[in-house]
Amino acid sequence: MSSTQLLAELRDQQISTVILGGCDTHGVMRGKRIPVAQLPDFLDHGLPICDVFWVLHVDESDLVSRPAGHTGYFPTELQGYPDIHAKPDPSTLHIVPWHADTALLLCDWYLSDNTTMVPISPRGVLRNVLGRAEEMGYTALSALELEFYLLREKPGTPHLKRPAELTPLQEVSSTYGVVMGSLQEDVGALIRQQMLDYGLPIEACNPETGPGQFEITLHYGPSLKAADDAFLFKSGVKELAAQRELLATFMAKPNADWAGNSCHVHVSLQDLDGRGVFFDPAAPEQLSETMRHFAGGVLSTMREFSALMAPTPNSYRRFVPYSWAGTTATWGIDNRSVGLRAIRAGEHGTRLEHRQPGGDANPYVATAATLAGGLHGIKHAIEPTELMAGDVYSLPEDQVVTLPRSLGEAVDLLETSSVAREWFGDDFVDHFVALKRAELQAQARAVTDWEVARYLEAM
């Protein structure tokens, strides 16, 4: 869509307000609302916005300091937190059905020179990975399956309750429930319809294993758009829930007794003529050599990319046996106990499902990490480990490659990963590591309910 067509569409839709927003490292949308008459000024030159949001803690309680000796891009008070520019992508126009006369445009972040993309931008990192895929002769396709809880909690207020005190929308589980699931259907139907009106390709919706938990699947498509859809979906669900005095959370594990929230990433590749390259009817198990090498690359980088898939200390509460989460660098055909599930469905349906990411993962980062690992495998012809059949959760740890059990372990692996630095850049890796180390420091200072219950009287 050209700028002229975009402005004409907004006039036809009688839009008065435009949200210009983009994704930060945490996966939070940052931006501004503008009157529609101001949009032409920002289409070419971008909307100025202070770069301080890149160093906010996820709860905005503090700022992350630039690491000692860091020489790359890292917002800091020493530079006065100058403006960067949010450049709208006209192809991402969405009319927002739950706000009157409002449209949204996703933006890419550019430095003050207005020509260089901010090197730590998650959408920019994914763009770069997709560009390298095209140089190798591939178009990447993907889709994300997102799980979330709806809670009867007031959004926008301090959340001081213990996990056991959180009240879900429905207090009994109803996995794939159609009858019992009807208790959630009023809200489920609203979310599905509003998201379809928003222009997001909803494919299916069902109650999941946890009380008040939903899974909604988005349609497969080009990987940048698929990540955009997931990012918009997460923010949209939160807004819709808040308007009904509910709280939507994609937190990986809000309660130790509930199922975790996942974000399974499905990926495949086509050649530049549109032919699927993961399927080969003559190959063993009908999995092409390209797919095997892609899988080999993903498996070989799963440990060092874990922090990108599980970005908070809470993420690792989800990684327990029989949780449906990927806890090992293993793969198998239609096996949900492995970390990487192969799905055979002909030329255009054969794909891989990365089962490690949680609902708290940044959609752009999780997609970029999956694709970068796979493309690295193709580039270096990395053969995968043997396909696993049966219950992988039951295998002894010396028979499988176990994924990190804590954010600290995962961050150390990411920091020293030469593959991550090759595909995502030093600036992105160093910035991501600094934010996660700050999160670990915040966690270390917290006095938890568990500590008080265990030690208050005994000590």
Side-chain angles (χ1 to χ4, degrees), residues 252-327:
K253 194 80 168 177
N255 183 311
D257 295 328
W258 297 352
N261 283 323
S262 69
C263 173
H264 297 154
V265 180
H266 293 247
V267 294
S268 66
L269 299 178
Q270 293 180 346
D271 64 24
L272 299 184
D273 293 322
R275 292 185 291 267
V277 300
F278 277 8
F279 177 72
D280 181 352
E285 305 292 351
Q286 299 181 329
L287 307 181
S288 72
E289 181 180 73
T290 301
M291 183 177 183
R292 287 203 323 274
H293 291 160
F294 189 100
V298 173
L299 293 168
S300 71
T301 56
M302 279 181 85
R303 281 180 51 78
E304 57 203 86
F305 286 4
S306 287
L308 305 174
M309 305 300 195
T312 74
N314 176 262
S315 304
Y316 297 81
R317 304 283 187 258
R318 179 173 154 263
F319 297 138
V320 295
Y322 305 103
S323 61
W324 306 114
T327 59

Side-chain angles (χ1 to χ4, degrees), residues 24-27 54-55 64 67 70 73-75 119-122 125 304-312 315-316 360-366 369 407 410-412 414-415 420-421 424-440:
D24 74 358
T25 308
H26 301 299
W54 291 113
V55 292
V64 178
H70 182 79
Y73 177 79
F74 200 103
I120 60 177
S121 162
V125 165
E304 57 203 86
F305 286 4
S306 287
L308 305 174
M309 305 300 195
T312 74
S315 304
Y316 297 81
D360 53 355
N362 185 316
Y364 297 105
V365 173
L407 181 61
V411 166
D412 288 344
L414 178 65
E415 185 175 34
R421 292 182 179 278
F424 312 132
D426 288 335
D427 282 340
F428 176 83
V429 172
D430 290 339
H431 177 261
F432 194 94
V433 165
L435 259 61
K436 301 311 162 185
R437 289 239 164 92
E439 196 71 9
L440 287 166

Side-chain angles (χ1 to χ4, degrees), residues 179-235:
V179 177
M180 286 297 293
S182 295
L183 299 175
Q184 300 179 189
E185 175 55 11
D186 285 350
V187 179
L190 172 73
I191 291 172
R192 290 197 306 274
Q193 189 56 55
Q194 291 280 275
M195 291 300 157
L196 288 169
D197 293 344
Y198 196 25
L200 299 187
I202 303 300
E203 187 172 87
C205 171
N206 59 273
E208 257 296 341
T209 305
Q213 187 183 33
F214 288 82
E215 178 182 70
I216 292 189
T217 305
L218 297 165
H219 195 66
Y220 215 61
S223 286
L224 182 62
K225 183 181 184 303
D228 285 343
D229 290 343
F231 175 61
L232 291 171
F233 177 83
K234 291 179 75 171
S235 61

Side-chain angles (χ1 to χ4, degrees), residues 345-392:
E347 180 184 336
H348 295 292
T350 297
R351 61 196 186 276
L352 289 166
E353 177 195 42
H354 202 313
R355 298 182 60 81
Q356 184 187 23
D360 53 355
N362 185 316
Y364 297 105
V365 173
T367 304
T370 304
L371 292 171
L375 293 167
H376 170 75
I378 292 173
K379 183 178 177 182
H380 296 281
I382 298 175
E383 286 293 337
T385 52
E386 288 185 22
L387 288 162
M388 306 292 286
D391 180 8
V392 172

